[in-house]
């Protein structure tokens, strides 16, 4: 049995939280960059920075044409290319779904 004063092993990880294999600050930076790209290219009547991560971007006013502009800006910003299998509405439906796709592409690279 471990003495009460000893910290559990998971406490060592508290200094560098991890989200989907990335340090939390990387995920936060990615999230902010996605929001900025949506604000710049999404042509939405609402502030992208005020949206919830899971808010439907199409319901918030993004058109399918604007989603193509967002996709191209994401490819430039993150220096990657979305494969054909990811070129569907659900991938660009929310900030969270975009971040998940980018994370998947970064891990695969």
């Amino acid at each position: 049995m471990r003495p009460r004063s000893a910290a559990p092993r998971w406490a060592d990880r508290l200094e560098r939280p991890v989200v989907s294999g990335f340090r939390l600050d990387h995920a936060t930076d990615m999230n902010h960059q996605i929001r900025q790209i949506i604000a710049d290219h999404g042509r939405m009547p609402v502030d992208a920075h005020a949206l919830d991560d899971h808010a439907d971007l199409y319901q918030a006013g993004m058109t399918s044409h604007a989603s193509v502009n967002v996709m191209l800006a994401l490819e430039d910003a993150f220096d990657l290319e979305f494969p054909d299998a990811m070129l569907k509405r659900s991938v660009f439906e929310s900030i969270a779904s975009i971040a998940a796709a980018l994370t998947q592409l970064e891990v695969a690279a």
Side-chain angles (χ1 to χ4, degrees), residues 52-108:
D52 181 74
D53 286 351
H54 299 281
D56 188 315
L57 298 175
Y58 297 102
Q59 286 183 355
M62 185 171 72
T63 65
S64 58
H65 183 301
S67 71
V68 172
N69 293 334
V70 167
M71 179 202 66
L72 293 172
L74 289 165
E75 287 181 336
D76 283 345
F78 291 95
D79 194 29
L80 50 76
E81 186 174 326
F82 286 95
D84 290 346
M86 284 189 167
L87 300 181
K88 50 190 172 186
R89 182 181 175 108
S90 62
V91 171
F92 302 96
E93 191 170 51
S94 70
I95 293 162
S97 63
I98 293 169
L102 291 173
T103 300
Q104 183 179 355
L105 292 173
E106 284 185 346
V107 168

Side-chain angles (χ1 to χ4, degrees), residues 28-45:
T28 303
D29 290 345
M30 177 189 287
N31 187 293
H32 178 74
Q33 198 167 2
I34 292 167
R35 287 177 185 278
Q36 190 58 53
I37 289 168
I38 292 168
D40 293 344
H41 301 279
R43 299 183 185 167
M44 297 187 332

